């Protein structure tokens, strides 16, 4: 297992700045999400506003990915590639995933949006989106010095199972350390066992980003583009993501 970087005070300030930028972009992108817009126009907005802020999009040219954000609609779990030929429609649920590199540090966060407003979406979609947000927060609350990385996933799994809704927790895609590198140690699973994995210490920064399917947990990776991940059973999927810091007393959400 790779060593988990501990960020200094100065490094944490830089993480705060990149994470604040990500949060403000996610705030503002909410205003342009409307029926009829293309996913490419979301990408253009994120791309231009990131550059204006003096940052660069972390995903751009990352492992051959050519866009500045991921936009994942309905049964797309994650890594939806923005396209000028794909349009949002009323009743869709959509995840926008934004990551920025600023002054040597990355920030990473994603949120769900209801296209056409909450009431335009089915009750089942609303329940999935809300429950997935709650799952993220349950994971965040498990973070404190002395806890183990595995406590995060175990808490999320317990919560999802306790709802009795039969949702599937995606296993192949995980949270991750974030800092000087877009992806670094530790890997943060969204399921698992309490008391397993690395010890959490003040100064660690990582994402928690549960992907929850209304149906089964199984995923299918697009053979067409090599990126888009969909639910195998075509059920809806939701995801919320924060970058968090382990503090002396607990946890701080950096991408709020
Ligand atoms: N926020 C995503 C992550 O947590 C972004 C990765 S998209 C990629 O890793 F296309 F750049 F891989
Ligand atoms: Co991430």
């Amino acid at each position: 297992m790779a060593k988990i970087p501990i960020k200094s005070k100065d490094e944490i300030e830089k993480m705060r700045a990149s994470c604040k930028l990500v949060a403000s972009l996610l705030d503002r992108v909410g205003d342009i999400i409307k029926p009829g817009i293309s996913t490419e126009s979301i990408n253009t907005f994120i791309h231009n506003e990131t550059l204006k802020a003096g940052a660069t999009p972390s995903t751009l040219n990352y492992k051959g990915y050519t866009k500045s954000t991921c936009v994942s609609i309905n049964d797309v779990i994650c890594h939806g590639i923005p396209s000028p030929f794909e349009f949002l429609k009323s009743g869709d649920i959509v995840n926008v995933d934004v990551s920025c590199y600023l002054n040597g540090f990355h920030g990473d966060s994603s949120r769900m949006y209801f296209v056409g407003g909450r009431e335009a979406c089915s009750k089942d979609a609303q329940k999935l989106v809300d429950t997935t947000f709650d799952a993220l927060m349950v994971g965040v609350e498990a973070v404190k010095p002395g806890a183990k990385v595995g406590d995060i996933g175990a808490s999320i799994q317990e919560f999802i199972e306790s709802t009795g809704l039969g949702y599937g927790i995606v296993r192949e895609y995980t949270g991750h350390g974030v800092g000087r590198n877009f992806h670094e140690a530790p890997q943060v699973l969204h399921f698992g066992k309490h008391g397993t994995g690395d010890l959490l210490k003040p100064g660690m920064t990582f994402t928690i980003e549960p992907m929850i399917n209304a149906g089964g947990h199984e995923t299918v990776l697009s053979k067409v583009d090599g990126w888009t991940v969909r639910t195998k059973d075509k059920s809806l999927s939701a995801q919320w993501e924060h970058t968090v810091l382990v503090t002396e007393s607990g946890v701080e959400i950096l991408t709020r």
Side-chain angles (χ1 to χ4, degrees), residues 10-239:
D10 173 65
E11 292 174 321
I12 290 167
E13 274 318 307
K14 290 178 175 156
M15 285 293 297
R16 280 208 176 89
S18 60
C19 288
K20 285 279 173 237
L21 173 59
V22 169
S24 82
L25 293 174
L26 287 170
D27 285 345
R28 293 160 60 207
V29 83
D31 296 335
I32 67 165
I33 292 181
K34 299 225 158 63
I37 72 156
S38 69
T39 52
E40 179 70 16
S41 67
I42 296 173
N43 185 72
T44 303
F45 174 81
I46 297 295
H47 180 85
N48 291 342
E49 295 305 311
T50 301
L51 297 187
K52 268 194 227 165
T56 52
S58 306
T59 59
L60 188 56
N61 302 320
Y62 178 80
K63 293 185 174 171
Y65 192 79
T66 59
K67 298 290 174 176
S68 300
T69 185
C70 301
V71 181
S72 303
I73 305 171
N74 294 337
D75 66 321
V76 177
I77 296 169
C78 64
H79 304 169
I81 307 175
S83 159
F85 308 111
E86 179 181 53
F87 302 91
L88 300 184
K89 59 184 194 312
S90 186
D92 286 344
I93 56 169
V94 61
N95 175 278
V96 180
D97 192 332
V98 173
S99 29
C100 294
Y101 184 63
L102 178 65
N103 295 326
F105 288 84
H106 296 270
D108 188 5
S109 183
S110 81
R111 296 183 196 167
M112 296 300 296
Y113 301 86
F114 296 109
V115 181
R118 185 180 177 92
E119 299 309 322
C121 300
S122 71
K123 282 280 179 260
D124 286 348
Q126 294 177 33
K127 187 81 188 162
L128 176 67
V129 168
D130 293 349
T131 304
T132 304
F133 179 80
D134 292 343
L136 167 60
M137 288 306 161
V138 164
V140 170
E141 279 159 24
V143 176
K144 52 176 177 275
K148 299 281 183 74
V149 176
D151 293 327
I152 300 167
S155 301
I156 291 172
Q157 183 178 356
E158 278 169 6
F159 169 70
I160 289 296
E161 288 172 356
S162 78
T163 65
L165 292 163
Y167 290 166
I169 304 175
V170 171
R171 302 177 184 199
E172 293 92 334
Y173 305 88
T174 68
H176 51 89
V178 55
R180 290 189 186 277
N181 307 293
F182 186 20
H183 295 115
E184 58 188 37
Q187 186 181 50
V188 180
L189 303 182
H190 302 112
F191 61 94
K193 299 244 177 293
H194 283 288
T196 63
D198 286 294
L199 189 63
L200 297 180
K201 295 178 186 164
M204 291 179 175
T205 53
F206 50 82
T207 72
I208 305 174
E209 48 182 302
M211 285 146 268
I212 307 294
N213 301 341
H217 68 81
E218 296 88 351
T219 67
V220 178
L221 176 64
S222 167
K223 290 197 183 82
V224 178
D225 63 37
W227 282 102
T228 307
V229 180
R230 290 187 178 83
T231 56
K232 189 176 177 200
D233 60 10
K234 303 203 162 51
S235 62
L236 291 176
S237 186
Q239 178 179 30

